[in-house]
Amino acid sequence: NVIATGGGPGIMEAANRGASEVGAPTIGYNIALPHEQYPNPYITHGLCFNFHYFALRKMHFMLRAKALVAFPGGFGTFDELFETLTLVQTKKVVPLPIVLVGRGFWERAIDWEYLVGEGFVDPADIRLFRYAETAEEAWGHIREFYRDRDETETTT
C-alpha cells in the first residue's frame, strides 16, 4: 500500500513521514501555490508530482484512492471533500470510505442536519462518511468498510 497526500506541510507531511518511517512508499500530489505549498521531504524520490490545476490533481487522487481521510482545513480541504462526496453519491467512482477526523470541527463547519432538513441533502447521504477522533478509529472505519464490502461480495 502507498500513502498519497497533497505533498505539503502539516498533516500531509505527517502522513508521508509516518509511511516513510516504516519503509512504505509515499506519493505527494503537490500543487503550485503562491505563498504556501512546497513538497515535504518524506515523499519517495520520483513520486512527487507537481500540478498547476486543482482539477487534475483531484482526478489523480480519485483514480487511485482507496479511502479519503479529511482533517480540519480550509477551502482546499472542503473542495476535495465535497468533490469526493459528490462522486461517491452519484456513483461516478467506486465507493470508498470517507473519514472526517475531528467531529467537533466538522459538525460546526458543516451543519449536515440543516442541509438534510432543508432538503438539500438526502438523509441516506449522511452515511457516506464517518467521524473519527483518533488514527486508530479512522483506520477501524476503513477496515470495517472493506470487511463489510468483502462480506457483501462473497454472499451475493
Side-chain angles (χ1 to χ4, degrees):
N1 292 336
V2 177
I3 293 291
T5 73
I11 198 71
M12 295 177 282
E13 182 173 328
N16 288 124
R17 181 178 180 176
S20 177
E21 287 178 355
V22 298
T26 70
I27 297 173
Y29 293 120
N30 198 50
I31 188 91
L33 298 174
H35 302 292
E36 288 184 40
Q37 187 115 341
Y38 56 90
N40 72 63
Y42 300 100
I43 299 167
T44 301
H45 180 72
L47 294 180
C48 181
F49 303 95
N50 292 301
F51 291 88
H52 182 75
Y53 296 106
F54 284 98
L56 289 175
R57 180 178 180 236
K58 286 187 298 185
M59 181 192 75
H60 280 277
F61 267 126
M62 291 307 300
L63 284 172
R64 296 161 181 86
K66 300 296 182 212
L68 171 69
V69 179
F71 289 81
F75 289 149
T77 301
F78 282 87
D79 177 49
E80 291 164 358
L81 171 62
F82 281 109
E83 175 98 8
T84 303
L85 285 168
T86 301
L87 291 171
V88 171
Q89 178 216 30
T90 59
K91 298 179 179 20
K92 296 294 184 184
V93 296
V94 174
L96 71 154
I98 300 168
V99 181
L100 307 181
V101 177
R103 183 182 201 117
F105 170 83
W106 292 107
E107 285 185 341
R108 188 164 179 205
I110 306 166
D111 189 340
W112 302 105
E113 296 307 318
Y114 175 75
L115 295 172
V116 168
E118 292 294 310
F120 295 120
V121 174
D122 189 283
D125 292 336
I126 300 300
R127 292 191 294 270
L128 294 175
F129 61 86
R130 305 289 291 286
Y131 293 110
E133 299 304 321
T134 65
E136 293 79 15
E137 191 177 0
W139 179 238
H141 289 320
I142 294 167
R143 291 180 63 205
E144 179 183 330
F145 178 92
Y146 284 105
R147 182 179 58 245
D148 292 349
R149 190 178 169 118
D150 290 343
E151 289 173 3
T152 301
E153 289 175 2
T154 58
T155 60
T156 55

